[in-house]
Amino acid sequence: MTARKTARWLGTALAITMAMGAGILHAQPVPNLIYSTYLGGSQNDVGRAVAATPHGTYIAGTTRSLDFPTFRAGQPDPSHEPDPNRFLDGFVTHYGPTGLLSYSTYLGDGPGEAEIPQAIAVGPDGSAYVTGFVDIFFTGRFAFLARVAHLEITFLPLGLGDRAQGRDVAVDSGGNVYVTGQSQLEHPSFGLIPQAFVIKLGHDGSVLDFDFIGGLSGDQRGNAIGLDAAGNAYVAGYTTSPDFPATRTIGAPTSLQRSNAFAVKLDPSGAIEHSVVFGGSDSDEVFELEADDLGNVFAAGRTTSADFPLLDPVQGALQGPADLFLARFDPSGNLIASTYLGGNGSEEVLSLALDGSGRLYLAGTTTSTDSPLSVPGCAGRFLAELDPESFEVLLVTCMPGADVRDMAVDPAGSLHLTGVALPGLPTVNAFQPQPAGGDDAFVAKLAFNRPPDCSAAFASPGVIWPPNGRLVPVSIQGVIDPEGDPVTITVTAIRQDEPLTRTGSPDAAGIGTAAPQLRASRLGGGDGRVYHLTFEAQDGAGASCIGSVTVCVPHDQGRGRTCRDGGALFDAIR
């Protein structure tokens, strides 16, 4: 069985614990925060969406603060709402790779409007694109797309009417922008029908393609969009329409007032290549989607269906009233793997991220006490690394003092988080080290570093002969780091199952180094000497594991040069 790894925060540091069976192999704090900061003014501020690039962290959210911190702002002042109790603006903030503030701006279009960002993406020129919806008091709700570039804010027309909302946005390598969400289709016979939409815009804001996705006898919404290297777009969400235009149905989805999950692939021209509806007999919905460069699609959502379609699952049954589900599709829309993930409570997925090395990350909440995503002391919040092939949970942790609302991963594998700060938020390299009042947003960047694996370590040589009383150099080998980081070995203790060869004279040397030496000696009337070396292996990024190896000095050349471990151990140094 693959070792499961669990990560827990201790104070301001991350502790990674590797468990195998019932034995704990390691528990060591890992200081992996690159930066963590409050972000807000004297009223309530919420980080709602985050994007990550090698150039830093981009945050979009909402603020009720008339003194929200702005810097090099395209809109330095709030859109002055006459009633301060109704004031709500969006904001966009950018930090550099080490947490240095690059710019921070309000994102509003005038009094009487409340801009609520839902997603943010970054183009190849560093422009940030934000989508969401605008609540216009006494008028309605409208989807918006804003570009923040060179300290200028431009609202790009989407051509959607009332009761529309942008839910996700993506940008390709050519600077084309893709938006999905929900709008209304006006049908001559059925009236207004909620539809998922996909809009493709050029880097100049011109609309290149527009598509509604959905049936006519229910409602549907696009929650997530992703792109592959060939320019194909992948959209996922939910539908309640029995006439949803599906090219493939997986499982036993129902249309009796229940939602079904869908995933659609569109080619660069906007034509639908395939459309998959999947789920069980209760409610299923995709909230997050990631596509790799080859067009493999990872979908994460929530299900209450006891008969959700499974393929090679790590959890084969619904455990609570609502579990997460994970599904992977190949570029042709074939289901490759799917599983439940949850416990005796309910789980919610907040974010899914895939880095350039194919590592898969998941953020969410759980009320379960027995879920593989539950972490003591995390108040039901989790950040997890999953095996992208099997969906096995490899690492699970939480950010202390943080209600995470969104997560992104940069090409180097660092996680970028935003949400609402709670008591106990650790601040590192913080632009705003203290809360400003009300609820503040937070921004954090951390390295989700896995510790080395000491379980296969061995000593070389493992047998010392002849017993001539000399000190023999020994090395420790077989320690593996999952990320391939160089590992430093430090011997912390050397013990032996026999008394010292000579009282007051050590039988070993090298404590605190990677080069121990053991005396080639054993009692003449014994059964051989066994040295026990305890060591710590560190990866240079703050993670470590603790292990032990043994070395035998046989009694004689016979019996395969083996030793019998005598049990009681003596300090080999004293």
Side-chain angles (χ1 to χ4, degrees), residues 16-20 23-30 450-458 476-481 487-493 495 532-539 542-549:
I16 293 184
T17 301
M18 180 184 295
M20 181 175 293
I24 298 297
L25 299 182
H26 174 70
Q28 179 70 27
V30 181
R450 289 178 289 174
D453 184 354
C454 290
S455 61
F458 61 92
I476 296 173
Q477 302 181 16
V479 177
I480 300 172
D481 187 79
V487 174
T488 300
I489 304 292
T490 302
V491 175
T492 57
R495 296 177 293 174
H532 293 254
L533 291 79
T534 303
F535 67 91
E536 181 179 24
Q538 295 185 325
D539 66 0
S544 64
C545 62
I546 296 172
S548 63
V549 297

Side-chain angles (χ1 to χ4, degrees), residues 433-456:
Q434 299 295 330
D439 288 333
D440 282 323
F442 82 92
V443 187
K445 178 182 176 181
L446 58 91
F448 212 26
N449 180 43
R450 289 178 289 174
D453 184 354
C454 290
S455 61

Side-chain angles (χ1 to χ4, degrees), residues 283-338:
S283 296
D284 317 283
E285 181 173 359
V286 176
F287 289 102
E288 295 289 327
L289 176 147
E290 286 285 329
D292 65 19
D293 285 344
L294 299 177
N296 299 296
V297 173
F298 300 81
R302 188 172 187 262
T303 180
T304 58
S305 298
D307 55 351
F308 186 85
L310 303 176
L311 185 59
D312 297 327
V314 295
Q315 179 181 318
L318 185 73
Q319 297 296 322
D323 280 354
L324 297 183
F325 71 78
L326 293 156
R328 186 171 82 254
F329 299 89
D330 70 11
S332 299
N334 300 304
L335 183 66
I336 302 302
S338 60

Side-chain angles (χ1 to χ4, degrees), residues 404-485:
V404 175
R405 302 294 178 88
D406 197 21
M407 170 186 66
V409 61
D410 63 29
S414 297
L415 297 185
H416 302 244
L417 312 174
T418 194
V420 179
L422 302 174
L425 178 76
T427 55
V428 176
N429 298 322
F431 181 82
Q432 181 181 331
Q434 299 295 330
D439 288 333
D440 282 323
F442 82 92
V443 187
K445 178 182 176 181
L446 58 91
F448 212 26
N449 180 43
R450 289 178 289 174
D453 184 354
C454 290
S455 61
F458 61 92
S460 178
V463 176
I464 296 176
W465 188 266
N468 55 18
R470 296 179 179 176
L471 289 173
V472 177
V474 173
S475 64
I476 296 173
Q477 302 181 16
V479 177
I480 300 172
D481 187 79
E483 280 87 29
D485 297 331

Side-chain angles (χ1 to χ4, degrees), residues 40-45 63-69 436-440:
S42 57
Q43 300 301 315
N44 291 343
D45 313 283
T63 178
R64 294 187 180 276
S65 300
L66 297 175
D67 56 351
F68 184 83
D439 288 333
D440 282 323

Side-chain angles (χ1 to χ4, degrees), residues 1-372:
M1 176 180 291
T2 303
R4 290 187 179 271
K5 301 178 181 179
T6 303
R8 296 187 177 89
W9 283 93
L10 299 179
T12 61
L14 180 65
I16 293 184
T17 301
M18 180 184 295
M20 181 175 293
I24 298 297
L25 299 182
H26 174 70
Q28 179 70 27
V30 181
N32 67 341
L33 271 178
I34 299 168
Y35 74 84
S36 176
T37 183
Y38 290 93
L39 174 62
S42 57
Q43 300 301 315
N44 291 343
D45 313 283
V46 179
R48 297 182 178 272
V50 60
T53 77
H55 304 294
T57 312
Y58 296 76
I59 307 297
T62 54
T63 178
R64 294 187 180 276
S65 300
L66 297 175
D67 56 351
F68 184 83
T70 60
F71 177 66
R72 301 176 65 197
Q75 182 185 333
D77 300 314
S79 54
H80 291 291
E81 165 62 42
D83 183 354
N85 295 319
R86 285 172 34 180
F87 169 72
L88 184 65
D89 255 2
F91 71 79
V92 178
T93 302
H94 174 221
Y95 295 90
T98 60
L100 183 66
L101 185 65
S102 298
Y103 68 77
S104 184
T105 182
Y106 284 99
L107 184 67
D109 206 23
E113 300 182 4
E115 286 77 16
I116 304 177
Q118 298 293 300
I120 185 170
V122 182
D125 64 350
S127 299
Y129 293 86
V130 182
T131 192
F133 56 87
V134 182
D135 277 337
I136 302 179
F137 301 130
F138 310 114
T139 302
R141 172 174 289 185
F142 298 85
F144 78 85
L145 175 66
R147 178 175 61 211
V148 182
H150 307 298
L151 310 184
E152 294 183 359
I153 299 174
T154 306
F155 283 87
L156 305 175
L158 293 178
L160 301 171
D162 189 11
R163 286 182 273 181
Q165 54 181 306
R167 300 286 295 185
D168 200 12
V169 60
V171 187
D172 66 20
S173 58
N176 299 306
V177 185
Y178 302 72
V179 184
T180 191
Q182 186 181 59
S183 186
Q184 303 283 326
L185 171 66
E186 187 170 357
H187 192 274
S189 300
F190 299 101
L192 292 175
I193 303 170
Q195 295 278 293
F197 71 82
V198 180
I199 299 177
K200 179 180 179 180
L201 302 94
H203 65 275
D204 60 354
S206 60
V207 176
L208 303 179
D209 188 57
F210 182 98
D211 293 287
F212 278 122
I213 300 174
L216 301 179
S217 54
D219 69 89
Q220 32 273 312
R221 185 174 70 198
N223 285 330
I225 190 165
L227 307 172
D228 66 20
N232 299 299
Y234 303 84
V235 182
Y238 80 88
T239 178
T240 62
S241 296
D243 58 345
F244 187 91
T247 59
R248 178 176 299 136
T249 299
I250 301 174
T254 178
S255 59
L256 301 176
Q257 306 301 316
R258 304 292 186 182
S259 61
N260 304 311
F262 76 79
V264 174
K265 178 180 181 180
L266 300 96
D267 68 18
S269 72
I272 293 178
E273 284 201 7
H274 61 252
S275 174
V276 180
V277 173
F278 60 101
S281 54
D282 213 290
S283 296
D284 317 283
E285 181 173 359
V286 176
F287 289 102
E288 295 289 327
L289 176 147
E290 286 285 329
D292 65 19
D293 285 344
L294 299 177
N296 299 296
V297 173
F298 300 81
R302 188 172 187 262
T303 180
T304 58
S305 298
D307 55 351
F308 186 85
L310 303 176
L311 185 59
D312 297 327
V314 295
Q315 179 181 318
L318 185 73
Q319 297 296 322
D323 280 354
L324 297 183
F325 71 78
L326 293 156
R328 186 171 82 254
F329 299 89
D330 70 11
S332 299
N334 300 304
L335 183 66
I336 302 302
S338 60
T339 188
Y340 293 106
L341 203 58
N344 54 15
S346 295
E347 279 73 31
E348 296 278 358
V349 59
L350 296 173
S351 187
L352 186 72
L354 188 69
D355 74 6
S357 300
R359 290 179 291 190
L360 189 65
Y361 301 92
L362 180 70
T365 63
T366 177
T367 62
S368 301
T369 58
D370 60 346
S371 168

